Amino acid sequence: MSKFLPLWPDSASTMSGQVDALYIYLLAGCRRHEPRSSLSRSRCSRLSIVVVPGREATQIEGSTILEITWSIIPFFVMLTFSSIWGAVLYFQERTSARHATEVYVVAKQWMWKIEPTWKGQREINELQRPRGAERQG
């Protein structure tokens, strides 16, 4: 964590940096159009209309198809990219290690009942490894 700009807490896992990057990407994508719209709102609110007698306004014709296209395409690009990125992160996080130890856990309000699948003793709020087992992660 940066001492100068503490936006994120210290990393609690190896995946946290990737999840934070996805979150920042989604946040930036959602906020992409906001500065333009707030800028145009402030311009319109301060705009003074001068009426000149005998002069008519001219209609400016735009391309609706062009405006829809440049709004829809970036939306679907962001949606596709974030969905694929999120799915990859999800499956990386949910896939267990090759020789991972399986443990059966029942969580109650203030207590965890842990029962290892190897021949071990049931514990409350503690997990004990068998002797000689490697610690991973």
Side-chain angles (χ1 to χ4, degrees):
M1 180 168 76
S2 172
K3 294 178 183 178
F4 304 108
L5 190 61
L7 292 176
W8 308 109
D10 290 333
S11 181
S13 71
T14 56
M15 296 287 296
S16 64
Q18 296 173 20
V19 173
D20 289 346
L22 176 62
Y23 176 71
I24 291 169
Y25 173 77
L26 290 172
L27 197 63
C30 291
R31 301 287 298 189
R32 183 174 155 253
H33 295 290
E34 192 274 329
R36 286 188 220 148
S37 62
S38 65
L39 182 64
S40 63
R41 268 184 269 147
S42 66
R43 282 184 185 166
C44 290
S45 64
R46 294 185 188 131
L47 181 67
S48 60
I49 300 173
V50 178
V51 178
V52 178
R55 191 166 176 201
E56 293 183 23
T58 58
Q59 180 69 30
I60 299 173
E61 296 294 327
S63 174
T64 307
I65 295 172
L66 177 65
E67 292 197 20
I68 290 173
T69 302
W70 74 30
S71 296
I72 296 292
I73 289 177
F75 171 72
F76 281 114
V77 168
M78 189 189 95
L79 185 69
T80 303
F81 187 68
S82 62
S83 298
I84 291 171
W85 189 2
V88 167
L89 284 178
Y90 175 79
F91 287 116
Q92 281 179 354
E93 196 168 304
R94 285 293 169 205
T95 304
S96 60
R98 180 172 290 175
H99 300 291
T101 305
E102 292 186 18
V103 178
Y104 180 71
V105 178
V106 176
K108 298 209 175 177
Q109 190 171 4
W110 298 106
M111 177 178 61
W112 297 75
K113 290 184 181 178
I114 301 170
E115 183 178 342
T117 55
W118 67 88
K119 293 184 180 177
Q121 150 181 355
R122 292 183 199 161
E123 297 288 337
I124 296 177
N125 293 337
E126 287 184 4
L127 176 63
Q128 297 178 359
R129 311 182 270 146
R131 288 185 191 239
E134 287 186 33
R135 181 173 179 228
Q136 298 174 0

